Amino acid sequence: MKTLQQIRRELHQIPEIGFQEFKTQAYLMEIISSFNQERLKIVKWKTGIVVHVTGLNPQKTIGWRTDIDGLPINEQTSLPFQSIHSGFMHACGHDIHMTVALGILQRIIESPIHDSMVFLFQPAEEGPGGALPMREWLIEEHPELVPDMIFAFHIAPEYPVGTIATRPGLLFANTSELFIDLQGIEGHAAFPHKTRDMTVAAANLLMQLQTIVSRSINPLDSAVVTIGKMTSGTVQNIISGHARLEGTIRTLDAYTMTHVKEKIEVFCQATELAFDCKVLIDYGSSYYQVYNTEDITQNFLSFANQDDSTIAIECEAAMTGEDFGYFLQEIPGLLFWAGVDSSYGLHHAKLNPDERVIDTLVPFIESYLRSL
């Protein structure tokens, strides 16, 4: 079998966006097929893969989930194994995630544990979201593959290799994309009364949206409404008939997310009336909060603190989004950060995780699984 480092580098070269991970799926199947198949059951779902490993004396099924998609980012690392797919990159560490999962899978096959395990190679974490439909497919079509508890990790550039960070309860926020299109009437700048100016309408709406958090959310709660992109118009002497706002919503409470969206819709309706236009809202990908099961997380942190290869810390909750939250919504478990010591952050074109995390995590996670 190839080394884990070689696998990671070959995966890094073929990043693909959500539900288009065809090469990635084929590569993963090639590696998985090289393992002893005696106790394996393999099922494909879209561009994802589910691998069930029968335990020696199973009392429960333990789940391990990894995401497999990349991002539409042009890589700027100059690594000898950088992406061969122009305009795409594993800029969120999913190549590391997949490699660790394959390493654990190999060890569990070669040295079985008592319980059964199911490995979920999930597509489309970055969008449009693969966890929720994959979870529902498992429940409806393959209930025998639904784990009794489930685990995952995410690389953390800000921590050194060997650091494990998580917390009981809320770890990641509820998140939602936000796209707003405003449609009016285009016209010559000399005749504004014959137009419906969407540049002005969008600018007014943008300013109103910024009052949601400051005036509609309890100051003791946490929420973010960010408009990161605004487009409108074509040339300087044409009044724009179309504008578009693109942004994100993040909250630490599921109810708050609903409340924020309700306020956005009210402001959009008011904009339609005030500017005699049509406003359309698209929330894009929406992810449920990552809420770690309390007792499982405390047990995990205790185990990690006693392991010589790791330094475990209890971190703060973050406004980061991760669709693994949909699995935790129905199945007990946890997600944790694993340090990779990179000077560039997640989704950066120069992100370069320290590969030593693979050799650290695989035996650590194997030991933890055996302790369960």
Side-chain angles (χ1 to χ4, degrees), residues 329-347:
Q329 191 178 20
E330 296 289 335
I331 306 166
L334 68 89
L335 182 143
F336 65 90
W337 292 108
V340 294
D341 195 22
S342 172
S343 55
Y344 297 98
L346 299 174
H347 293 208

Side-chain angles (χ1 to χ4, degrees), residues 6-78:
Q6 183 181 358
I7 289 171
R8 181 260 160 161
R9 294 184 175 191
E10 290 179 352
L11 283 168
H12 186 82
Q13 290 185 299
I14 55 169
E16 298 164 294
I17 57 174
F19 294 127
Q20 296 183 35
E21 307 96 331
F22 303 108
K23 286 185 181 179
T24 304
Q25 185 188 53
Y27 184 91
L28 291 170
M29 284 299 300
E30 176 187 341
I31 300 299
I32 295 168
S33 297
S34 70
F35 299 152
N36 186 333
Q37 304 291 299
E38 184 180 352
R39 296 180 297 112
L40 298 191
K41 176 181 180 180
I42 302 172
V43 182
K44 292 182 180 180
W45 174 76
K46 296 185 183 294
T47 48
I49 307 168
V50 179
V51 183
H52 182 274
V53 187
T54 303
L56 296 175
N57 183 27
Q59 304 298 311
K60 59 182 178 294
T61 299
I62 303 169
W64 184 267
R65 172 271 200 173
T66 179
D67 33 21
I68 69 172
D69 56 324
L71 285 159
I73 292 175
N74 192 36
E75 183 167 351
Q76 298 176 24
T77 62
S78 299

Side-chain angles (χ1 to χ4, degrees), residues 12 23 32 49-50 54 57 67 80 107 112 121 123 132 136 159 176 200-201 237 239 258 265 283 299 304 328 332:
H12 186 82
K23 286 185 181 179
I32 295 168
I49 307 168
V50 179
T54 303
N57 183 27
D67 33 21
R107 285 175 175 243
F121 293 85
L132 180 59
E136 294 305 289
Y159 293 127
S176 175
V200 174
N237 63 344
I239 290 173
T258 300
E265 287 159 18
Y283 291 117
N299 174 269
L328 293 179

Side-chain angles (χ1 to χ4, degrees), residues 123-199:
E125 190 279 324
E126 299 292 349
L132 180 59
M134 188 179 211
R135 185 195 78 187
E136 294 305 289
W137 166 76
L138 280 171
I139 292 172
E140 294 173 10
E141 301 293 331
H142 291 279
E144 76 281 3
L145 299 179
V146 177
D148 298 296
M149 57 178 63
I150 191 165
F151 301 90
F153 84 98
H154 202 295
I155 67 163
E158 66 272 25
Y159 293 127
V161 172
T163 299
I164 300 295
T166 191
R167 70 190 305 273
L170 186 71
L171 181 65
F172 289 177
N174 300 272
T175 69
S176 175
E177 295 176 330
L178 177 63
F179 305 100
I180 302 176
D181 285 285
L182 300 92
Q183 190 65 49
I185 299 175
E186 184 178 280
H188 197 287
F191 305 102
H193 59 293
K194 295 182 179 181
T195 70
R196 299 292 181 269
D197 189 341
M198 291 302 98
T199 299

Side-chain angles (χ1 to χ4, degrees), residues 7 29 87 94 102 230-231 326 354:
I7 289 171
M29 284 299 300
H94 297 185
L102 290 170
M230 174 178 171
T231 55
Y326 286 116
D354 189 331

Side-chain angles (χ1 to χ4, degrees), residues 266-285:
V266 168
F267 282 134
C268 287
Q269 291 165 7
T271 300
E272 287 183 323
L273 292 173
F275 292 91
D276 192 16
C277 64
K278 185 68 176 176
V279 181
L280 301 175
I281 306 171
D282 177 8
Y283 291 117
S285 296

Side-chain angles (χ1 to χ4, degrees), residues 221-233:
D221 196 356
S222 296
V224 171
V225 177
T226 295
I227 300 300
K229 182 179 181 182
M230 174 178 171
T231 55
S232 184

